Amino acid sequence: MDKSRLRIAIQKSGRLADDSMDLLKSAGLKIQKNKSGLFYRIKDLPIDLLLVRDDDIPGFVSEGIADLGIVGSNVFKEFSLQNESDDTSILMRLGFSRCKLSIATPNEAKYEGTKTLEGAKIATSYPEILGKYLKDLGVTSTIVEMHGAVEVAPTLGIADAICDIVSSGATLEANGLTQQETIFKSEAFLLKTPQEISPEKLKTISRITTRFEGVQASRETKYIMLNAPREALEKVTELLPGAEAPTVIPLEGQDGMVAVHSVCRESVFWETMEKLRNVGATSILVLPIEKMMA
Ligand code: PRP
Ligand code: ZN
């Protein structure tokens, strides 16, 4: 292992793994897979990927085994509550792999708010987050710590309720469970080690975070093109969501008509397009932006 190369820990397999790979690829990182399946090299950049279980990522980053790590804020929060003096920092909130940490009970069970959990057994992989939540509400329950297959705990008679990650809700449904309350909302974070980082590595970090920001911006940003009568220009510009000074071009051979081109920094909804048409815009095009750099 070459210690001069920046090491980024990502999840080996799972939802977060796919989204992390998407981000790295969109940022132009060419991943060279190898047989070991533990390390992937990045072509043309001094970066290696370390493929591990997501639960191990905060610990690896904290100890400097990896310089950076991409992990769900749920896993990081649990780690932080267990290691209060740890200085691992959040370099970026990545906005993907959004999910909820929720309490769920068997479909047939009666649930009348958190007080129903008084004296109950709750299975979870997040004992710290759940413990804090219950404590703040003054509810005393027994937390049964499990790693994996938490959703089967009620069927097995191990627990009365569970507290686990819900994304699509398919796992709960398949196990006859109903979501009752959300205790934590999660998204992917980019973590940075508290250990010393060489100036060369810091340069690489700055390069890739600039690219990640670009990917994030272009995912939210669209390019709008439309035609409009010149007198409708003011109304059109007001309707363009998060637009910077639009480019206005006279339309050849069409008196009083202009083309408007603009970058919009917010999502463009069908409703916005309908409003634009109502003030006189025609031929409205909304295009994705592949890459951006300020
Ligand atoms: C969570 C959770 C469920 C599943 C829920 O696991 O433990 O198994 O996702 O998703 P669904 O609502 O779409 O069915 P996660 O992907 O976080 O992986 P891990 O806990 O095994 O690391
Ligand atoms: Zn996990």
Side-chain angles (χ1 to χ4, degrees), residues 11 53-55 75 126:
Q11 191 193 33
R53 275 165 34 107
D54 61 343
D55 314 61
V75 171
Y126 302 89

Side-chain angles (χ1 to χ4, degrees), residues 11 14-15 54-55 74 126 151 164-172:
Q11 191 193 33
R15 209 159 14 96
D54 61 343
D55 314 61
N74 53 317
Y126 302 89
E151 63 277 1
D164 200 13
I165 294 299
V166 180
S167 173
S168 65
T171 304
L172 290 189

Side-chain angles (χ1 to χ4, degrees), residues 1-2 5-12 17 20-25 29-34 36-43 45-52 57 60 65-70 190 208 212:
M1 278 179 328
D2 184 349
R5 296 170 68 83
L6 183 78
R7 208 172 292 159
I8 310 174
I10 62 168
Q11 191 193 33
K12 194 179 174 66
S20 306
M21 280 292 190
D22 275 352
L23 171 69
L24 298 174
K25 284 180 193 158
L29 273 60
K30 296 186 190 72
I31 301 159
Q32 297 181 307
K33 300 200 172 176
N34 65 23
S36 91
L38 177 65
F39 267 106
Y40 288 167
R41 242 171 190 265
I42 303 298
K43 206 179 157 199
L45 281 171
I47 302 175
D48 286 329
L49 301 181
L50 178 61
L51 288 96
V52 292
I57 293 175
F60 284 170
I65 295 166
D67 305 294
L68 303 179
I70 299 176
L190 179 66
I208 60 160
F212 288 173

